[in-house]
Amino acid sequence: MEKEIREFTEYLETVKRLSHNMVLSYRGDLMKMAAYLEGQGTQRVEDVSATMLSAYVLDMEKKGMSAATVSRYVASIKAFFEYLLRERAIAEDPSFFLKPPKVEKHAPEILTEQEMECLLAQPSSNRPKELRDRAMLELLYATGMRVSELIALRVDDVNLRFCWLICRDAERERMIPFGEAAAKALRDYLSLACNTFLKNGSQVILFLNCSGTPMSRQGFWKLLKSYAAKAGIDKDITPRMFRHSCAAHMAARGAGLPVIQEMLGHTDIAATQIYAGFQSGMKMEYSKTHPRA
């Protein structure tokens, strides 16, 4: 079974162009499934049955794995066997009727608008590092991008004249608008700070670290934590909280879910539904307090 898993992960990397981390995640999930099945005496993909896969899911649940984790494993399994069926390595898809456990969706943890304003104000000097950091924080909040997308931005991805940028994820690209606050921070960074970080050659990646190389996820995480501490915010702030806060604040101010879906790059609007509660809260307060509601 390891041969088929290797071929599948090569397909994900070369054809689907998934990130290296995502490919490793698929491989890890599938190797664990293979180990379980081999422990039950099944070594060939052709011999895997729907009953065996259902038993594997039940075994994970009995071991106390969370519904979200089991759902991820089920998604990996289904993608693997769908691939094998397309490649005619198997005659039937044993995962066709496999259902993931229901994952209870909670409202995402966000920063309030006041907390966000305070955090964005922390890199306040005109030193190159703070100009860069201010531009990164403003842009992350303005667009709702993932941090991986932010640090992968190229200089020519950004159109400052029309306040649009091209954002690329693992499978596609999308255009996202941003406001004047982010545009000003970007102009300041590009005109006053960029050359400080550029060590040699021309600049391709938008945000560089002090070594002149692209900013890393860990590097951005550290600077975000330091500014959160400086702002006196005791929440466990993560880059993803910026993404949630952007979407929730837009929903609270009346943005429709399809607009938020397009900005965030969700392929399924079901993933955007977690922000519907912020819309409901706004409408409820409006109906209670507006004199002409």
Side-chain angles (χ1 to χ4, degrees):
M1 205 172 297
E2 187 172 349
K3 171 180 171 289
E4 288 84 2
I5 292 173
R6 184 179 65 254
E7 291 171 349
F8 173 62
T9 53
E10 287 174 357
Y11 161 79
L12 294 178
E13 196 158 26
T14 58
V15 179
K16 300 296 286 183
R17 296 191 178 278
L18 298 190
S19 69
H20 183 62
N21 286 340
M22 287 186 71
V23 172
L24 288 179
S25 177
Y26 273 104
R27 176 174 170 76
D29 292 350
L30 294 172
M31 290 303 292
K32 288 175 184 174
M33 174 201 71
Y36 170 85
L37 293 174
E38 287 171 8
Q40 303 298 310
T42 302
Q43 297 186 351
R44 302 192 315 157
V45 290
E46 306 96 301
D47 297 332
V48 178
S49 68
T51 302
M52 293 173 189
L53 294 179
S54 295
Y56 176 51
V57 171
L58 184 61
D59 182 69
M60 287 190 284
E61 291 175 336
K62 285 181 177 178
K63 289 177 178 175
M65 295 173 71
S66 70
T69 300
V70 175
S71 292
R72 191 196 77 206
Y73 278 90
V74 169
S76 296
I77 291 167
K78 290 179 77 68
F80 176 58
F81 283 103
E82 286 167 7
Y83 163 81
L84 292 177
L85 187 65
R86 284 197 308 272
E87 294 296 309
R88 299 184 179 180
I90 54 176
E92 293 182 349
D93 180 358
S95 72
F96 186 79
F97 292 106
L98 195 64
K99 299 292 184 186
K102 188 173 181 180
V103 179
E104 189 176 348
K105 294 183 178 178
H106 301 284
E109 187 176 4
I110 65 169
L111 295 173
T112 66
E113 290 190 32
Q114 293 75 18
E115 287 172 330
M116 185 62 76
E117 289 289 338
C118 183
L119 180 57
L120 294 174
Q122 294 313 306
S124 57
S125 78
N126 284 329
R127 292 195 295 271
K129 181 180 180 299
E130 294 206 13
L131 288 172
R132 179 203 63 193
D133 297 349
R134 187 185 311 148
M136 294 186 79
L137 294 176
E138 286 281 5
L139 200 58
L140 195 65
Y141 177 53
T143 62
M145 286 190 296
R146 302 172 181 88
V147 68
S148 58
E149 296 167 341
L150 177 74
I151 62 177
L153 279 176
R154 301 194 297 246
V155 174
D156 59 6
D157 287 335
V158 180
N159 186 321
L160 278 169
R161 181 182 177 187
F162 296 106
C163 293
W164 284 87
L165 61 79
I166 298 173
C167 178
R168 296 175 177 83
D169 62 22
E171 297 183 353
R172 62 195 181 108
E173 63 181 43
R174 63 192 188 278
M175 291 183 67
I176 312 177
F178 55 88
E180 184 52 38
K184 182 182 183 309
L186 275 169
R187 288 190 195 100
D188 291 344
Y189 165 65
L190 288 169
S191 61
L192 302 174
C194 260
N195 288 339
T196 304
F197 299 101
L198 190 61
K199 301 304 179 184
N200 50 60
S202 58
Q203 183 171 352
V204 177
I205 296 298
L206 181 59
F207 295 114
L208 303 174
N209 60 26
C210 295
S211 301
T213 56
M215 173 71 68
S216 67
R217 292 170 59 93
Q218 293 82 3
F220 181 78
W221 188 290
K222 287 179 182 177
L223 71 86
L224 178 57
K225 293 286 188 182
S226 67
Y227 288 125
K230 190 176 177 182
I233 300 172
D234 59 4
K235 293 178 180 176
D236 184 20
I237 295 180
T238 65
R240 192 161 188 81
M241 196 179 289
F242 263 67
R243 183 170 165 85
H244 288 319
S245 298
C246 168
H249 295 169
M250 286 182 63
R253 287 174 174 262
L257 293 184
V259 172
I260 296 172
Q261 176 192 7
E262 186 175 353
M263 273 193 65
L264 298 187
H266 290 160
T267 55
D268 187 346
I269 199 167
T272 319
Q273 292 290 341
I274 58 173
Y275 304 111
F278 296 97
Q279 285 184 317
S280 302
M282 179 194 67
K283 291 175 181 175
M284 189 181 299
E285 289 302 311
Y286 181 91
S287 64
K288 288 194 300 184
T289 59
H290 197 285
R292 299 174 71 86

